Amino acid sequence: MDNKTKPLKMKNLFTIISLAILFGTSATFAQDKIYKKSGEVLETKVIEIGTSEIRYKAFANLNGPNYVVNKQDVIKIIYENGKVETFENVAKEIAIETQKRAQNVYAEILGQGLLFSVNYDTRFSNKRTGLGGRVGFGGIGGGGESFITVPVSLNYLLGDGKNLFEIGLGATYASLATNDDFLFGDGGSTVLGTMAFMYRLQPIKSGFSFRGGITPFFSSEVFVPYYVGFSLGYTF
């Protein structure tokens, strides 16, 4: 073998090995690694870190679907740029928040307030779900006529996290300034029984909330099973 050829081949081999190491290192740091408490390491591209969840794509399939992992199941994330974010206190923070009594204020259209009402809602214990109640006040008027409502009800929240289902049973005092209404007869006022079967979006900590669903109402003279209600408010 030519003595000049041998050093050239060795130099080419060294170059190939160096490039392989370089590309291998680049590939390693081009992904976000999620370290779970179970010991599993997920090779990902982190999309979003929410209040209680982390959304990501699998690094091997960046065009694929988004995945979700609970923050309380994660120890840390090492990002592609080398930055490290830890989540050791997340489980404790979430536990504290879930032990806090959820309170809401919201404006409701239709629903148990019948037309429009402003309401206060709370749980009866230091929980985000379970048994609670609401009380509100509604009114509308014009042209010498007025319609006033006072909705009061008990409700129970089922579910975990921020997506809940509400079951409610209550009564609404309603007063109309004119007579001969089909709900009120000649008395001008009445008390209606009300129910609620609603989806509730209630943040784990605090923030804007939403409710929507079916709110039947009834009296001794009428039953309306397909009445609906919607509300927007704030949870604290």
Side-chain angles (χ1 to χ4, degrees), residues 67-99:
Y67 296 92
V68 174
V69 61
N70 289 327
K71 285 173 68 174
Q72 57 186 336
D73 295 331
V74 174
I75 298 175
K76 65 181 178 180
I77 298 176
I78 299 180
Y79 295 98
E80 60 177 314
N81 60 3
K83 179 183 176 182
V84 179
E85 185 171 2
T86 59
F87 300 91
E88 294 178 355
N89 295 323
V90 169
K92 184 183 295 185
E93 292 174 359
I94 292 176
I96 292 173
E97 289 298 331
T98 54
Q99 292 173 3

Side-chain angles (χ1 to χ4, degrees), residues 50-53 70-72 90-104 127-129 159-164 200-209 235-236:
T51 303
S52 60
E53 299 175 337
N70 289 327
K71 285 173 68 174
Q72 57 186 336
V90 169
K92 184 183 295 185
E93 292 174 359
I94 292 176
I96 292 173
E97 289 298 331
T98 54
Q99 292 173 3
K100 181 180 177 182
R101 180 165 58 113
Q103 301 178 77
N104 292 268
K127 297 173 63 177
R128 309 301 287 175
T129 57
D160 294 315
K162 61 184 179 180
N163 296 301
L164 307 173
R200 179 185 291 206
L201 176 63
Q202 177 177 278
I204 294 176
K205 293 185 178 180
S206 60
F208 290 102
S209 61
T235 300
F236 56 96

